Protein backbone atom coordinates (compact mmCIF):
# COMPACT_ATOMS: atom_id res chain seq x y z
CA UNK A 1 0.00 0.00 0.00
CA UNK A 2 1.10 3.58 -0.58
CA UNK A 3 2.08 6.04 2.15
CA UNK A 4 -1.21 7.84 1.72
CA UNK A 5 -3.07 4.69 2.80
CA UNK A 6 -2.18 4.93 6.47
CA UNK A 7 -3.81 3.21 9.42
CA UNK A 8 -6.52 5.80 9.81
CA UNK A 9 -7.90 5.09 6.32
CA UNK A 10 -7.75 1.34 6.89
CA UNK A 11 -9.84 1.90 10.01
CA UNK A 12 -12.32 4.11 8.18
CA UNK A 13 -12.79 1.45 5.53
CA UNK A 14 -13.46 -1.24 8.13
CA UNK A 15 -16.03 1.08 9.63
CA UNK A 16 -17.58 1.84 6.24
CA UNK A 17 -17.96 -1.87 5.51
CA UNK A 18 -19.48 -2.66 8.91
CA UNK A 19 -21.89 0.28 9.18
CA UNK A 20 -22.95 0.89 5.59
CA UNK A 21 -22.53 -2.44 3.84
CA UNK A 22 -22.78 -5.41 6.21
CA UNK A 23 -25.50 -3.55 8.11
CA UNK A 24 -27.57 -3.38 4.90
CA UNK A 25 -27.32 -7.09 4.24
CA UNK A 26 -24.34 -7.53 1.89
CA UNK A 27 -22.81 -10.92 2.74
CA UNK A 28 -20.41 -11.98 -0.06
CA UNK A 29 -17.05 -12.28 1.74
CA UNK A 30 -15.03 -11.52 -1.41
CA UNK A 31 -16.98 -8.29 -1.99
CA UNK A 32 -16.54 -7.23 1.65
CA UNK A 33 -12.80 -7.99 1.52
CA UNK A 34 -12.37 -5.96 -1.68
CA UNK A 35 -14.19 -2.99 -0.18
CA UNK A 36 -11.99 -3.14 2.92
CA UNK A 37 -8.88 -3.30 0.78
CA UNK A 38 -9.26 -0.76 -2.07
CA UNK A 39 -8.11 2.73 -0.94
CA UNK A 40 -11.23 4.62 -2.06
CA UNK A 41 -9.78 8.01 -1.05
CA UNK A 42 -7.01 7.72 -3.63
CA UNK A 43 -9.63 7.86 -6.41
CA UNK A 44 -10.91 11.34 -5.48
CA UNK A 45 -9.20 14.69 -5.06
CA UNK A 46 -7.36 15.16 -1.77
CA UNK A 47 -9.80 17.88 -0.67
CA UNK A 48 -12.48 15.16 -0.40
CA UNK A 49 -10.47 12.55 1.52
CA UNK A 50 -12.26 13.46 4.76
CA UNK A 51 -15.68 12.66 3.28
CA UNK A 52 -14.91 9.80 0.95
CA UNK A 53 -15.76 7.00 3.40
CA UNK A 54 -19.16 8.59 4.14
CA UNK A 55 -22.50 7.05 3.19
CA UNK A 56 -23.00 9.06 -0.03
CA UNK A 57 -21.73 9.66 -3.58
CA UNK A 58 -19.20 12.47 -4.22
CA UNK A 59 -18.36 14.72 -7.18
CA UNK A 60 -15.35 13.74 -9.29
CA UNK A 61 -15.44 16.65 -11.76
CA UNK A 62 -16.97 16.99 -15.23
CA UNK A 63 -20.43 16.77 -13.63
CA UNK A 64 -19.83 13.10 -12.71
CA UNK A 65 -19.82 11.24 -9.39
CA UNK A 66 -18.21 8.33 -7.56
CA UNK A 67 -21.04 6.09 -6.34
CA UNK A 68 -22.05 5.62 -2.70
CA UNK A 69 -20.06 2.71 -1.17
CA UNK A 70 -23.22 0.70 -0.48
CA UNK A 71 -24.35 0.93 -4.13
CA UNK A 72 -20.91 -0.24 -5.28
CA UNK A 73 -21.19 -3.24 -2.92
CA UNK A 74 -24.75 -4.06 -3.97
CA UNK A 75 -23.94 -3.94 -7.71
CA UNK A 76 -20.73 -5.92 -7.25
CA UNK A 77 -22.41 -8.66 -5.22
CA UNK A 78 -25.19 -8.93 -7.82
CA UNK A 79 -22.62 -9.59 -10.58
CA UNK A 80 -21.37 -12.69 -8.73
CA UNK A 81 -17.82 -12.36 -10.12
CA UNK A 82 -15.47 -15.39 -10.15
CA UNK A 83 -11.65 -15.23 -10.26
CA UNK A 84 -11.50 -16.24 -13.94
CA UNK A 85 -14.26 -13.90 -15.15
CA UNK A 86 -13.79 -11.20 -17.77
CA UNK A 87 -15.92 -8.22 -16.77
CA UNK A 88 -17.01 -5.15 -18.72
CA UNK A 89 -17.74 -1.89 -16.90
CA UNK A 90 -19.38 1.08 -18.63
CA UNK A 91 -18.55 4.44 -17.00
CA UNK A 92 -15.04 4.29 -15.50
CA UNK A 93 -15.51 7.64 -13.72
CA UNK A 94 -13.05 7.77 -10.82
CA UNK A 95 -11.94 4.18 -11.47
CA UNK A 96 -13.00 3.03 -7.99
CA UNK A 97 -15.63 0.51 -9.10
CA UNK A 98 -13.25 -0.94 -11.69
CA UNK A 99 -10.62 -1.43 -8.97
CA UNK A 100 -13.15 -3.29 -6.80
CA UNK A 101 -14.01 -5.52 -9.77
CA UNK A 102 -10.31 -6.03 -10.51
CA UNK A 103 -9.88 -7.54 -7.02
CA UNK A 104 -12.48 -10.18 -7.91
CA UNK A 105 -12.10 -10.88 -11.63
CA UNK A 106 -9.45 -12.13 -14.03
CA UNK A 107 -9.66 -9.00 -16.15
CA UNK A 108 -11.76 -5.82 -16.20
CA UNK A 109 -12.51 -3.85 -19.37
CA UNK A 110 -13.74 -0.36 -18.57
CA UNK A 111 -15.01 2.36 -20.92
CA UNK A 112 -15.34 6.09 -20.17
CA UNK A 113 -16.58 8.76 -22.57
CA UNK A 114 -14.96 11.78 -20.83
CA UNK A 115 -11.34 11.79 -21.93
CA UNK A 116 -9.92 13.55 -18.84
CA UNK A 117 -11.57 11.01 -16.53
CA UNK A 118 -10.36 8.08 -18.63
CA UNK A 119 -6.79 9.39 -18.53
CA UNK A 120 -6.86 10.09 -14.78
CA UNK A 121 -8.28 6.63 -14.02
CA UNK A 122 -5.60 4.94 -16.15
CA UNK A 123 -2.94 6.77 -14.12
CA UNK A 124 -4.48 5.55 -10.82
CA UNK A 125 -4.63 1.97 -12.10
CA UNK A 126 -0.95 2.08 -13.04
CA UNK A 127 0.05 3.69 -9.76
CA UNK A 128 -1.89 1.14 -7.72
CA UNK A 129 -0.66 -1.68 -10.02
CA UNK A 130 -4.02 -2.82 -11.31
CA UNK A 131 -2.50 -4.49 -14.35
CA UNK A 132 -5.66 -6.48 -15.02
CA UNK A 133 -7.69 -3.38 -15.91
CA UNK A 134 -7.94 -2.48 -19.59
CA UNK A 135 -9.21 1.04 -20.30
CA UNK A 136 -10.79 2.68 -23.31
CA UNK A 137 -12.17 6.13 -24.04
CA UNK A 138 -15.37 6.12 -26.07
CA UNK A 139 -19.10 5.41 -26.11
CA UNK A 140 -19.56 2.42 -23.82
CA UNK A 141 -23.30 2.26 -24.48
CA UNK A 142 -22.30 0.12 -27.46
CA UNK A 143 -20.24 -2.17 -25.23
CA UNK A 144 -16.83 -3.43 -26.37
CA UNK A 145 -17.61 -5.80 -29.25
CA UNK A 146 -13.95 -6.65 -30.00
CA UNK A 147 -13.51 -8.13 -26.51
CA UNK A 148 -16.99 -9.69 -26.16
CA UNK A 149 -18.48 -11.92 -24.89
CA UNK A 150 -18.14 -11.12 -21.15
CA UNK A 151 -19.01 -13.13 -18.05
CA UNK A 152 -20.45 -10.01 -16.47
CA UNK A 153 -21.33 -6.44 -17.47
CA UNK A 154 -21.84 -3.52 -15.09
CA UNK A 155 -23.25 -0.20 -16.28
CA UNK A 156 -22.59 2.62 -13.79
CA UNK A 157 -24.58 5.35 -15.54
CA UNK A 158 -28.37 5.59 -15.84
CA UNK A 159 -29.80 4.23 -19.10
CA UNK A 160 -33.20 4.87 -20.72
CA UNK A 161 -33.51 1.14 -21.60
CA UNK A 162 -31.52 -2.11 -21.63
CA UNK A 163 -29.52 -2.02 -24.84
CA UNK A 164 -29.74 -5.16 -27.01
CA UNK A 165 -26.20 -4.46 -28.18
CA UNK A 166 -24.91 -4.72 -24.61
CA UNK A 167 -26.99 -7.82 -23.84
CA UNK A 168 -25.63 -9.54 -26.94
CA UNK A 169 -22.12 -9.22 -25.45
CA UNK A 170 -23.07 -11.32 -22.42
CA UNK A 171 -21.95 -14.98 -22.30
CA UNK A 172 -24.31 -17.87 -21.61
CA UNK A 173 -24.64 -17.83 -17.82
CA UNK A 174 -23.55 -14.18 -17.82
CA UNK A 175 -24.88 -11.46 -15.48
CA UNK A 176 -25.50 -7.79 -16.11
CA UNK A 177 -26.48 -4.94 -13.76
CA UNK A 178 -27.72 -1.64 -15.13
CA UNK A 179 -29.69 1.32 -13.74
CA UNK A 180 -32.70 1.89 -16.02
CA UNK A 181 -35.25 4.69 -15.82
CA UNK A 182 -35.63 8.38 -16.59
CA UNK A 183 -32.92 11.04 -16.33
CA UNK A 184 -33.47 11.66 -12.61
CA UNK A 185 -34.22 8.29 -11.05
CA UNK A 186 -33.70 4.70 -12.03
CA UNK A 187 -34.21 1.12 -10.92
CA UNK A 188 -31.16 -1.08 -10.61
CA UNK A 189 -31.93 -4.07 -12.82
CA UNK A 190 -30.15 -7.44 -12.89
CA UNK A 191 -30.28 -9.57 -16.04
CA UNK A 192 -29.08 -13.15 -16.37
CA UNK A 193 -28.66 -15.02 -19.65
CA UNK A 194 -29.35 -18.77 -19.69
CA UNK A 195 -30.58 -21.40 -22.19
CA UNK A 196 -34.16 -20.12 -21.85
CA UNK A 197 -33.23 -16.52 -22.58
CA UNK A 198 -32.85 -13.41 -20.45
CA UNK A 199 -34.21 -13.22 -16.90
CA UNK A 200 -34.70 -9.82 -15.31
CA UNK A 201 -35.01 -8.88 -11.61
CA UNK A 202 -35.50 -5.39 -10.22
CA UNK A 203 -33.16 -4.70 -7.30
CA UNK A 204 -33.64 -1.21 -5.84
CA UNK A 205 -34.27 2.42 -6.66
CA UNK A 206 -31.18 4.50 -7.40
CA UNK A 207 -29.94 7.74 -8.91
CA UNK A 208 -27.05 7.73 -11.38
CA UNK A 209 -25.65 10.31 -13.79
CA UNK A 210 -26.87 9.78 -17.34
CA UNK A 211 -25.51 7.23 -19.77
CA UNK A 212 -24.85 9.47 -22.78
CA UNK A 213 -24.42 7.77 -26.13
CA UNK A 214 -25.93 5.97 -29.08
CA UNK A 215 -27.71 3.44 -26.82
CA UNK A 216 -28.28 5.98 -24.05
CA UNK A 217 -29.41 9.60 -23.66
CA UNK A 218 -28.55 12.34 -26.12
CA UNK A 219 -25.69 14.61 -25.03
N1 LIG B 1 -18.00 3.67 -11.84
C1 LIG B 1 -17.70 5.03 -11.51
C2 LIG B 1 -18.95 5.88 -11.40
C3 LIG B 1 -18.98 6.72 -12.55
S1 LIG B 1 -20.29 7.87 -12.80
C4 LIG B 1 -16.84 5.16 -10.27
O1 LIG B 1 -16.57 4.15 -9.61
O2 LIG B 1 -16.38 6.27 -9.98
C5 LIG B 1 -20.72 7.41 -14.45
C6 LIG B 1 -19.66 7.61 -15.49
O3 LIG B 1 -20.20 7.14 -16.73
C7 LIG B 1 -19.25 9.07 -15.73
O4 LIG B 1 -17.88 9.19 -15.56
C8 LIG B 1 -19.69 9.32 -17.17
O5 LIG B 1 -18.82 10.20 -17.86
C9 LIG B 1 -19.66 7.93 -17.76
N2 LIG B 1 -20.45 7.73 -18.98
C10 LIG B 1 -21.67 8.23 -19.28
N3 LIG B 1 -22.08 7.78 -20.49
C11 LIG B 1 -21.09 6.95 -20.95
C12 LIG B 1 -20.92 6.18 -22.13
N4 LIG B 1 -21.83 6.13 -23.11
N5 LIG B 1 -19.78 5.45 -22.26
C13 LIG B 1 -18.83 5.46 -21.29
N6 LIG B 1 -18.95 6.19 -20.16
C14 LIG B 1 -20.06 6.92 -19.98
Amino acid sequence: MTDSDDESYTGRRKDMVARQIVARGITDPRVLAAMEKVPRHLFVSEALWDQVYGDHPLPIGHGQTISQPYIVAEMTQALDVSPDDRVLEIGTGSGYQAAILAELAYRVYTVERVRELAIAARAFFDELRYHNIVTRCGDGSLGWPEEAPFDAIMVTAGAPYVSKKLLSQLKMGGRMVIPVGDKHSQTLVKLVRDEDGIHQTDMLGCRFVNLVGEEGWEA
Side-chain angles (χ1 to χ4, degrees), residues 40 43 58 60-67 72 89-99 110-114 117 136-142 154-158 208-217:
R40 176 172 165 93
F43 292 85
L58 278 175
I60 54 170
H62 305 276
Q64 309 302 332
T65 54
I66 178 172
S67 304
V72 171
E89 182 200 23
I90 313 302
T92 315
S94 67
Y96 175 67
Q97 173 73 71
T110 182
V111 190
E112 170 57 53
R113 67 182 284 273
V114 177
L117 292 175
R136 174 176 178 174
C137 183
D139 180 6
S141 74
L142 302 169
M154 182 187 289
V155 182
T156 64
F208 278 83
V209 300
N210 295 336
L211 180 74
V212 176
E214 240 177 88
E215 294 284 315
W217 299 99

Side-chain angles (χ1 to χ4, degrees), residues 28-202:
D28 185 329
R30 295 183 70 230
V31 173
L32 298 175
M35 302 232 17
E36 274 199 16
K37 178 175 171 194
V38 176
R40 176 172 165 93
H41 60 286
L42 299 184
F43 292 85
V44 301
S45 82
E46 202 166 341
L48 297 175
W49 283 9
D50 253 8
Q51 306 168 51
V52 76
Y53 293 108
D55 196 10
H56 45 71
L58 278 175
I60 54 170
H62 305 276
Q64 309 302 332
T65 54
I66 178 172
S67 304
Q68 177 189 6
Y70 162 64
I71 293 291
V72 171
E74 191 73 74
M75 291 177 86
T76 307
Q77 176 170 272
L79 271 197
D80 201 11
V81 178
S82 301
D84 35 2
D85 280 357
R86 294 167 68 255
V87 180
L88 173 67
E89 182 200 23
I90 313 302
T92 315
S94 67
Y96 175 67
Q97 173 73 71
I100 294 285
L101 290 169
E103 293 286 340
L104 305 173
Y106 171 67
R107 190 160 286 157
V108 177
Y109 298 82
T110 182
V111 190
E112 170 57 53
R113 67 182 284 273
V114 177
R115 179 162 300 277
E116 291 84 349
L117 292 175
I119 291 170
R122 178 73 263 166
F124 290 136
F125 299 147
D126 291 341
E127 197 182 317
L128 296 170
R129 303 213 174 87
Y130 281 108
H131 300 310
N132 63 337
I133 302 180
V134 189
T135 55
R136 174 176 178 174
C137 183
D139 180 6
S141 74
L142 302 169
W144 194 328
E146 298 83 357
E147 296 291 350
F150 299 96
D151 298 285
I153 300 178
M154 182 187 289
V155 182
T156 64
Y161 55 86
V162 179
S163 152
K164 295 228 161 50
K165 281 193 182 144
L166 271 184
L167 266 182
S168 73
Q169 294 175 30
L170 203 53
K171 263 187 203 167
M172 187 60 70
R175 293 82 55 203
M176 173 161 147
V177 268
I178 177 170
V180 183
D182 61 33
K183 285 191 171 178
H184 308 288
S185 75
Q186 302 91 28
T187 302
L188 202 54
V189 170
K190 176 174 178 178
L191 302 113
V192 180
R193 173 190 293 280
D194 69 14
E195 285 80 3
D196 306 325
I198 304 284
H199 303 273
Q200 176 172 334
T201 1
D202 291 353

